Amino acid sequence: MNQTAPFVLIALMGLTGLAGPAMANDLRDISKCWNVGMLSDAAKRVKVTLVFDLARDGTPVADSITLLGDSGTTPPARQQAFQAARRAILRCGAGGFDLPQQTYEQWRRVEMTFDPADMRSK
Amino acid sequence: MVPVNRFAGLAMAAMLAFIQTPAIAQDSGRLRLELTDAVIEPMPIAVPQFIAESAGASDMAARITQVVVDDLAGTGLFRQIQPSAFISQVTAFSSPVQYADWKAINAQALITGAVTTDSSGNINVKFRLYDVFAGQEMGDGLQFAATQDGWRRMAHKVADAVYARITGEGGYFDSRVVYVAEAGPKNQRQKRLGIMDYDGANVQYLTDSSAIVLAPRFSPTGDRILYTSYETGFPRIYVLDVASVGRRALPIPEGDMAFSPRFGPDGSTVVFSLTQGGNTDLWRMSVDGSAPVRLTNAPSIETAPSFSPDGARIVFESDRSGSPQLYVMSASGGEPTRISFGQGRYGTPVWSPRGDLVAFTKQNKGRFHIGVMRVDGSEERLLTASFLDEGPSWSPNGRVIMFTRETQGAGGEARLYSVDSTGRNLKPVATSGGASDPAWGPLQN
């Protein structure tokens, strides 16, 4: 995983240099909860984008997690891919992400894409 | 805004080209992030013992719960959380789920169930599946009813339903395997056909040990079995009805040898090897013995045919290039295309139920392997390695491969093993004695 990537993109997008890396490092941990081991081959081919809200304490608002888009071709595969991504957000966010309170408006709403393309051969 | 000069911009563009993940950006008041790195690990599940809802059902509830756990944990995709770690106890099927308690022990899925029995010997099993972290049920509750002797099947059906809801693909627990049960020393081995649940339970023997039997294959609906027997001294193909155990031989000309049969996906066609005058070619005929058609006509040995799921093509083994390799041709015959090009010898190809892979046996440098490749021969992957691994057979959902592993030496014994198509979760299949030539049947109705 490229540790410098968030810094580069945040700089390009004009975010503050302090808030960006902090947000990235913490939210990046969702990868550790994104378990694709039990997914079918078809579900492992589905890239999903979810949008969700974070409360001020950094916990994901479960009811706000919605599927914004996906590359799935069959309903079961899309559903399982979505569920695995949602589970990752909720598991890793259960204790609240450690995000800077002063920039809450910058991270209040998150759009996260889960692309398992690199995991299919593993 | 961070100033970006022209050269910095170029450098930035170059870096972006190599950025993996997570990428992060923000606009429109929304933080955007992309993840490409995930973990592959068994999913922790909690399966409290199913509730006995009638007097005398508690033993049955315990046994059904255990089979559900064994099925799911046996896939290597799930890990059972020990009941001693539970904070909440499930005391009634309709009790509200205390999600916080299950989250606290990192249970990602919770399965609750209940069992009732009656004096007539009937059992009813119902279950619910919960996504703990989402705090909601995954699908509606389901229930199954059967007589008491079908209790294992009901447990398998519960596990199949759970597996399908979590993975997005069909299960394989309510299925059977036909195989060759072996007994006795290697030089006097007795062989007979056995049929069992996928997990080795409920064994029944379909033939006696009076003649060598080989390579049984299920029909697509699981009601019939093709196999090869040497009871006449020469190999002949038989069709056996599973329910009645009645059988008949496919009509083969006197003096010819027929072997390596396999059903077509329509269940009415058989493809097999026929040796005539010392040369072995592939043939097909109707399972009633009519309409034989020669598919290959080469001086080499053509054998081990297997249909594609749509019935349009056949993959088989041939030594026409000088060593055994894999070929694909139209199901009506014609010029085959070689698909195996790695070092070593390839054999016993089997087309996956999904249609995307071919499983095979490979011998190379004194070792045997079970492997898979795409149907065009690309992306070959070896899943196992041992003194002798051979004869792969796919689970009904195309996720798992069962095969024979034989140990070395005069006392060597054949056993059945299974492995995930990714190469994970290699494990023996429980059989009461020696076993070889597994053929995995379809899910039962």
Side-chain angles (χ1 to χ4, degrees):
Chain A
M1 190 174 292
N2 189 328
Q3 294 289 329
T4 63
F7 293 82
V8 175
L9 274 172
I10 289 160
L12 283 176
M13 298 309 296
L15 296 182
T16 64
L18 291 174
M23 288 188 282
N25 285 336
D26 219 57
L27 290 170
R28 178 167 54 189
D29 281 349
I30 290 176
S31 281
K32 296 173 185 168
C33 296
W34 181 29
N35 185 6
V36 299
M38 80 296 290
L39 295 183
S40 66
D41 278 354
K44 277 187 200 157
R45 293 176 191 280
V46 180
K47 177 177 172 177
V48 291
T49 299
L50 280 59
V51 63
F52 59 97
D53 292 336
L54 292 170
R56 278 199 175 274
D57 65 359
T59 55
V61 179
D63 292 344
S64 73
I65 301 176
T66 51
L67 183 64
L68 198 61
D70 68 81
S71 64
T73 53
T74 64
R78 299 160 88 176
Q79 181 66 12
Q80 309 323 317
F82 167 66
Q83 285 176 352
R86 178 178 61 185
R87 202 175 294 125
I89 295 166
L90 292 170
R91 278 180 62 211
C92 268
F97 296 108
D98 187 16
L99 299 167
Q101 288 295 310
Q102 66 273 22
T103 56
Y104 176 61
E105 285 308 314
Q106 289 184 19
W107 50 261
R108 185 182 62 81
R109 193 150 179 78
V110 180
E111 180 182 313
M112 190 167 283
T113 297
F114 296 77
D115 184 354
D118 292 348
M119 302 302 297
R120 286 202 292 269
S121 59
K122 294 182 180 176
Chain B
M1 183 76 176
V2 175
V4 180
N5 66 29
R6 179 167 165 261
F7 295 102
L10 288 172
M12 212 59 98
M15 289 178 71
L16 282 171
F18 292 100
I19 283 172
Q20 296 174 355
T21 54
I24 186 169
Q26 191 213 34
D27 60 15
S28 310
R30 181 181 291 184
L31 189 65
R32 291 201 171 101
L33 193 74
E34 180 167 335
L35 305 180
T36 59
D37 237 358
V39 294
I40 293 178
E41 59 191 16
M43 174 193 250
I45 56 171
V47 192
Q49 183 168 312
F50 287 10
I51 304 296
E53 288 191 330
S54 62
S58 87
D59 177 58
M60 184 60 73
R63 284 190 282 165
I64 288 174
T65 308
Q66 191 58 53
V67 171
V68 171
V69 168
D70 290 346
D71 281 348
L72 294 171
T75 64
L77 305 178
F78 303 93
R79 175 175 62 79
Q80 182 201 15
I81 296 175
Q82 289 304 316
S84 57
F86 294 173
I87 299 168
S88 275
Q89 300 302 320
V90 176
T91 53
F93 186 63
S94 55
S95 296
V97 172
Q98 304 301 317
Y99 289 110
D101 290 347
W102 300 107
K103 279 184 197 175
I105 59 170
N106 196 31
Q108 293 176 32
L110 168 68
I111 304 165
T112 64
V115 176
T116 55
T117 55
D118 66 24
S119 56
S120 304
N122 299 310
I123 308 177
N124 188 285
V125 181
K126 55 188 176 183
F127 81 97
R128 285 180 177 150
L129 172 65
Y130 299 91
D131 185 332
V132 170
F133 282 84
Q136 63 188 42
E137 199 169 341
M138 296 175 76
D140 296 327
L142 271 181
Q143 62 181 335
F144 303 102
T147 54
Q148 292 218 13
D149 57 2
W151 71 270
R152 288 186 64 88
R153 282 200 62 196
M154 283 195 290
H156 290 320
K157 283 185 176 299
V158 170
D160 275 329
V162 169
Y163 180 97
R165 290 179 186 189
I166 294 177
T167 67
E169 65 190 356
Y172 56 84
F173 309 122
D174 186 25
S175 62
R176 302 175 89 187
V177 172
V178 62
Y179 66 104
V180 175
E182 302 190 357
K186 212 167 189 175
N187 58 355
Q188 288 181 310
R189 193 149 287 171
Q190 295 182 319
K191 299 190 175 193
R192 55 182 169 161
L193 291 188
I195 189 170
M196 62 185 187
D197 294 353
Y198 95 100
D199 57 1
N202 289 329
V203 176
Q204 295 173 266
Y205 296 105
L206 303 173
T207 64
D208 60 28
S209 303
S210 59
I212 296 289
V213 289
L214 293 172
R217 307 289 180 234
F218 266 117
S219 65
T221 50
D223 59 338
R224 290 158 296 156
I225 291 166
L226 288 167
Y227 69 99
T228 303
S229 172
Y230 280 76
E231 64 189 62
T232 64
F234 293 95
R236 297 195 73 182
I237 296 170
Y238 291 82
V239 187
L240 182 145
D241 180 82
V242 175
S244 68
V245 201
R247 66 189 194 123
R248 60 182 168 77
L250 286 187
I252 300 297
E254 195 69 30
D256 290 352
M257 295 185 286
F259 55 95
S260 197
R262 199 177 287 270
F263 278 100
D266 61 2
S268 63
T269 305
V270 179
V271 62
F272 59 98
S273 288
L274 185 67
T275 301
Q276 297 177 302
N279 185 44
T280 303
D281 275 306
L282 297 182
W283 288 68
R284 65 185 291 171
M285 69 166 55
S286 294
V287 73
D288 64 7
S290 66
V293 176
R294 185 181 196 136
L295 299 178
T296 62
N297 192 353
S300 47
I301 297 172
E302 337 295 327
T303 190
S306 171
F307 279 96
S308 59
D310 63 3
R313 289 178 289 171
I314 293 171
V315 62
F316 64 99
E317 170 190 337
S318 170
D319 63 357
R320 62 182 60 200
S321 67
S323 68
Q325 299 291 337
L326 306 185
Y327 293 80
V328 171
M329 70 176 179
S330 164
S332 56
E335 191 62 30
T337 301
R338 180 173 165 179
I339 63 168
S340 62
F341 290 96
Q343 289 189 333
R345 302 150 68 94
Y346 294 78
T348 66
V350 191
W351 214 301
S352 83
R354 296 174 182 168
D356 56 343
L357 295 173
V358 169
F360 55 85
T361 303
K362 181 174 181 174
Q363 183 189 9
N364 189 33
K365 297 178 180 173
R367 301 279 283 171
F368 279 79
H369 308 269
I370 300 299
V372 294
M373 62 172 66
R374 297 217 162 266
V375 297
D376 63 1
S378 64
E379 298 182 35
E380 176 181 323
R381 285 182 287 127
L382 300 181
L383 309 177
T384 73
S386 88
F387 165 71
L388 179 54
D389 286 349
E390 63 178 349
S393 178
W394 290 95
S395 62
N397 67 354
R399 180 119 186 188
V400 181
I401 295 168
M402 195 177 289
F403 62 96
T404 306
R405 171 166 286 184
E406 188 155 343
T407 50
Q408 197 167 2
E413 187 178 51
R415 290 283 182 173
L416 303 186
Y417 277 72
S418 67
V419 66
D420 193 278
S421 61
T422 61
R424 295 187 182 89
N425 202 35
L426 173 69
K427 61 177 189 172
V429 178
T431 54
S432 58
S436 62
D437 269 347
W440 211 320
L443 279 180
Q444 301 185 78
N445 291 323

